[in-house]
C-alpha cells in the first residue's frame, strides 16, 4: 500500500519543481510523427522557460510551473463534433475542454491534432495559444475545408 502511495506522488512531485514534467507521450501514425518532428517550438511561452519532459519525447514540450504542456499527434478529442464551438486564434482553430472553463485546448482542422494544457494560473489562455499557434500554423498543414 505504501509503495502505491509513493507511485501516485511521483507525477505530482515531478510537475511541481524545476525537474522534468510528466507528460504522456502520444502515439501518432508515421505521417503524424513526421509533421510533429518539424514543429519548432519556442524556448519561452508566456515568458516561461522551457522544461524537460518525462519521458523524453520530441512529441511533448512543457514551460513553467505549473507547466503549460504540449502534446503533438494526439487522437481526435472524443467530444469534438462538427457542431462543436471552436475558438480561432490567429488562424488556428482550437477546441477547448471542458467547454465552460477550458484548460485543455486542441488545435483542430490540421493534419495532426496538437493538444495544449494551460493551467488556470495563466488565465486567460489566449496569449499561450497565440504563441504556440504560430509554430503550429507554420508547420502543420490545414485539413481540407470543412474537416475538423
Amino acid at each position: 500500500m505504501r509503495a502505491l502511495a509513493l507511485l501516485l506522488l511521483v507525477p505530482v512531485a515531478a510537475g511541481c519543481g524545476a525537474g522534468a514534467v510528466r507528460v504522456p507521450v502520444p502515439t501518432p501514425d508515421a505521417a503524424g510523427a513526421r509533421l510533429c518532428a518539424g514543429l519548432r517550438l519556442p524556448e519561452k511561452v508566456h515568458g516561461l522557460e522551457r522544461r524537460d519532459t518525462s519521458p523524453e519525447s520530441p512529441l511533448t514540450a512543457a514551460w513553467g510551473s505549473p507547466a503549460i504542456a504540449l502534446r503533438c499527434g494526439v487522437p481526435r478529442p472524443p467530444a469534438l463534433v462538427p457542431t462543436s464551438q471552436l475558438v480561432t486564434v490567429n488562424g488556428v482553430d482550437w477546441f477547448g475542454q471542458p467547454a465552460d472553463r477550458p484548460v485543455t485546448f486542441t488545435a483542430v482542422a490540421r493534419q495532426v491534432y496538437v493538444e495544449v494544457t494551460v493551467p488556470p494560473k495563466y488565465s486567460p489562455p489566449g496569449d499561450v495559444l497565440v504563441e504556440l499557434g504560430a509554430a503550429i500554423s507554420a508547420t502543420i498543414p490545414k485539413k481540407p475545408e470543412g474537416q475538423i
Side-chain angles (χ1 to χ4, degrees):
M1 186 69 156
R2 184 174 175 203
L4 178 60
L6 288 175
L7 285 174
L8 292 174
L9 287 176
V10 170
V12 174
C16 294
V21 178
R22 189 160 216 19
V23 180
V25 178
T27 54
D29 62 17
R34 279 192 301 278
L35 287 171
C36 290
L39 196 57
R40 300 292 170 241
L41 298 170
E43 285 302 311
K44 286 187 176 186
V45 169
H46 201 61
L48 305 167
E49 297 287 334
R50 190 157 175 180
R51 296 179 59 188
D52 292 334
T53 57
S54 175
E56 285 186 44
S57 171
L59 303 174
T60 63
W63 298 264
S65 182
I68 295 167
L70 178 142
R71 299 183 334 125
C72 187
V74 298
R76 177 188 172 120
L80 180 64
V81 295
T83 57
S84 293
Q85 184 172 352
L86 304 178
V87 174
T88 303
V89 179
N90 287 357
V92 177
D93 294 322
W94 297 94
F95 175 64
Q97 288 187 296
D100 60 339
R101 232 174 328 163
V103 175
T104 301
F105 296 86
T106 304
V108 300
R110 300 273 163 181
Q111 297 296 320
V112 176
Y113 294 104
V114 180
E115 178 185 275
V116 177
T117 301
V118 184
K121 174 181 179 178
Y122 309 117
S123 186
D127 292 344
V128 172
L129 300 182
V130 166
E131 292 178 54
L132 293 173
I136 292 167
S137 63
T139 308
I140 302 183
K142 289 183 178 183
K143 287 183 177 179
E145 186 69 32
Q147 292 184 15
I148 53 173

